[in-house]
Amino acid sequence: MSAAASGKDLLCLADQGSFLGLRALGRGPVLQFTWLLARQPDDAEVLALNARLGQGLFARLVQRSPLPWGRHRWVASAVLPPVTWFPAPPPGEQPTQLHARLLDLAVDPEHGPGWRLVVQPLAGGGCALSVLVSHTLADGQASVQTIADALAGRRHDVGHAAPSGRWSPRRLLDDGAESLRGLPEVARAIKALVQRRRAASAPVDGTSPSRLQSHAGNSRSVIVPVVQVAIVADAFDRRAADLGVAANTLFAALAVGLASSMGRVDATGRVKLVMPVSDRQPGDTRGNALRAATVLVEPGDTLTNPKRLQRDIRAALATLLRHGDEISPLLPLLPYVPLRLARNAERLALGSDRPVGCSILGALPGELERPCGAASLLQISLLERYSQGDLARLGGLLFLVCYRLGGQVLVTVTGHSPGHITDRAGLAPAVEAALAALGLSATLS
């Protein structure tokens, strides 16, 4: 059965929201996977890898509904993205600092390409190989599995239809009927929105709307600093056992300690951890099969005694399982949100209490160690082009991604604190201090 016949071509509401945010803000997150290869692969190897990547969830684009309030649909991508070949970097450029060049590459889930393969020869020999994927197209777990399948030679045809006439009578009828079926959910979402707006009527961090707006004119682009952390997995697990907590709790404690040192806390001094939780099922074609567990943490002695943090995380996960998250009840409203309103909704969605993102991808498939022969996975991170005004309105950002591969625990830290930490030279010592407070030895790059 094709995706269209089974209804799998309809974007889920989370994907619709991701696309709406991209169009409203003019920017959106892109997943970056970067490997270091000791040798330069030949053209045939790279082109073969590019062809294998262009399957499954990567082999599609978004086609908008003809109705202003309609749900968009997935369609098969008709063109395989070309490989991007960069020349050798200037002397002194580090492979972990390729973000400025990668950010200049267009990745668009509607007009294409929705993903890219990039080859960057390095001055010291070998090369960096990067895969960029629009987060609308596939979240972290989906991207990991799609790339692993490509590297292993496993073929998957999602079955999306080829692009067709957006304004065809059949499309108008289908989208109109879908909108009518969704009206009861829309009514429930309006009720949930009213309740949330009442709860959020007063700013919690003392920042007035006029002050936030005053930064809007500063549009100069900022490269948000990134630090890559590598820890021997056995040592990481031993330290977690010594502290009496799970390994994932130790990662969350690192995020709390780093947030506290960066001043990324709310008005009461607490750190707001937002932890994406995957609910992806076999055969799932959603781009973003995620919910979020939120934990408010008193930093206090978290670094030396994270057991309370573990209890709070488990309680938040249990609440998420029983009652769902705060955002999902509002999602049925997304098709009805005009872009001008969505542009002002980012801070409401994130909250004004400086959230800290903590994404735990777990153990990665072994195939990710061999993109074009043996390689080391240098980094998985989120790329997004921010202006100084964006970062000022958001109060900076802090996002950590943790994953395991080849006997190592790898953590990618992306962080910015306006006027405090604005480059890697400022971020790296803060990461080192948080690791030391947890009793962890690591290699930073």
Side-chain angles (χ1 to χ4, degrees):
M1 181 184 293
S2 72
S6 63
K8 289 184 178 180
D9 64 330
L10 197 69
L11 265 67
C12 73
L13 288 168
D15 293 345
Q16 183 104 4
S18 175
F19 181 76
L20 174 66
L22 174 66
R23 288 294 175 255
L25 298 172
R27 57 176 170 81
V30 172
L31 283 156
Q32 172 208 353
F33 295 75
T34 295
W35 294 263
L36 291 184
L37 281 72
R39 64 177 182 86
Q40 175 77 40
D42 61 43
D43 292 3
E45 288 179 288
V46 174
L47 293 174
L49 172 59
N50 194 60
R52 293 197 304 272
L53 286 168
Q55 302 173 32
L57 297 187
F58 290 1
R60 61 185 186 175
L61 294 170
V62 174
Q63 186 178 57
R64 298 196 201 200
S65 169
L67 303 177
W69 59 87
R71 294 272 292 278
H72 305 328
R73 296 179 185 272
W74 294 114
V75 295
S77 177
V79 179
L80 185 69
V83 177
T84 300
W85 303 83
F86 278 141
E93 182 170 349
Q94 297 299 314
T96 52
Q97 301 301 305
L98 298 175
H99 297 77
R101 289 185 172 183
L102 297 178
L103 276 169
D104 285 336
L105 298 176
V107 176
D108 190 294
E110 179 184 13
H111 304 297
W115 63 276
R116 286 179 179 271
L117 177 63
V118 183
V119 182
Q120 169 72 77
L122 299 175
C127 73
L129 195 70
S130 295
V131 175
L132 306 179
V133 185
S134 167
H135 208 298
T136 301
L137 207 65
D139 61 22
Q141 293 288 359
S143 295
V144 164
Q145 192 56 57
T146 300
I147 294 171
D149 288 341
L151 298 181
R154 296 186 289 265
R155 296 183 62 89
H156 293 287
D157 181 9
V158 179
H160 292 308
S164 59
R166 178 182 168 197
W167 297 96
S168 68
R170 178 60 183 270
R171 179 71 189 273
L172 285 165
L173 286 172
D174 286 349
D175 287 12
E178 182 62 39
S179 296
L180 289 173
R181 282 193 294 269
L183 287 179
E185 288 187 340
V186 172
R188 288 190 289 271
I190 291 173
K191 181 179 178 181
L193 178 62
V194 170
Q195 293 171 340
R196 176 165 179 167
R197 286 183 66 85
R198 286 173 180 166
S201 59
V204 297
D205 64 352
T207 306
S208 68
S210 60
R211 179 171 174 80
L212 295 174
Q213 188 63 29
S214 68
H215 298 284
N218 194 338
S219 59
R220 188 167 69 86
S221 244
V222 175
I223 302 300
V224 177
V226 176
V227 170
Q228 186 67 24
V229 179
I231 307 170
V232 175
D234 287 344
F236 189 88
D237 293 338
R238 281 196 303 272
R239 183 55 182 157
D242 290 344
L243 292 169
V245 296
N248 285 350
T249 302
L250 191 57
F251 165 61
L254 173 63
V256 171
L258 183 56
S260 179
S261 70
M262 291 175 62
R264 194 159 184 81
V265 297
D266 65 14
T268 66
R270 295 179 300 177
V271 173
K272 181 180 181 179
L273 286 181
V274 179
M275 308 181 72
V277 178
S278 177
D279 61 356
R280 188 167 296 279
Q281 305 298 321
D284 206 324
T285 61
R286 290 175 292 173
N288 292 265
L290 296 168
R291 296 185 292 173
T294 300
V295 188
L296 294 175
V297 185
E298 298 278 359
D301 61 351
T302 295
L303 293 180
T304 55
N305 183 20
K307 290 181 179 178
R308 184 177 63 181
L309 173 61
Q310 178 160 278
R311 289 194 298 270
D312 291 344
I313 291 174
R314 288 175 175 173
L317 293 173
T319 298
L320 179 66
L321 184 63
R322 288 195 301 267
H323 304 295
D325 58 23
E326 295 179 354
I327 297 296
S328 293
L330 306 180
L331 295 181
L333 292 175
L334 286 171
Y336 300 88
V337 176
L339 287 183
R340 68 178 185 277
L341 181 59
R343 290 187 186 100
N344 298 322
E346 181 180 39
R347 190 172 175 87
L348 174 63
L350 292 176
S352 55
D353 37 12
R354 305 178 187 276
V356 177
C358 301
S359 180
I360 303 175
L361 295 177
L364 304 185
E367 291 93 343
L368 267 73
E369 293 186 277
R370 301 186 63 83
C372 278
S376 58
L377 179 60
L378 173 68
Q379 191 173 99
I380 300 176
S381 64
L382 278 181
L383 294 179
E384 190 160 356
R385 182 174 291 283
Y386 293 96
S387 69
Q388 285 186 331
D390 293 331
L391 293 171
R393 285 191 299 276
L394 297 173
L397 62 89
L398 180 59
F399 192 87
L400 288 79
V401 183
C402 179
Y403 43 101
R404 291 172 178 255
L405 186 67
Q408 290 186 310
V409 171
L410 300 165
V411 184
T412 306
V413 181
T414 305
H416 185 283
S417 179
H420 176 43
I421 293 177
T422 59
D423 56 21
R424 190 184 179 282
L427 181 60
V431 174
E432 289 176 335
L435 288 164
L438 281 170
L440 291 170
S441 297
T443 301
L444 272 60
S445 58

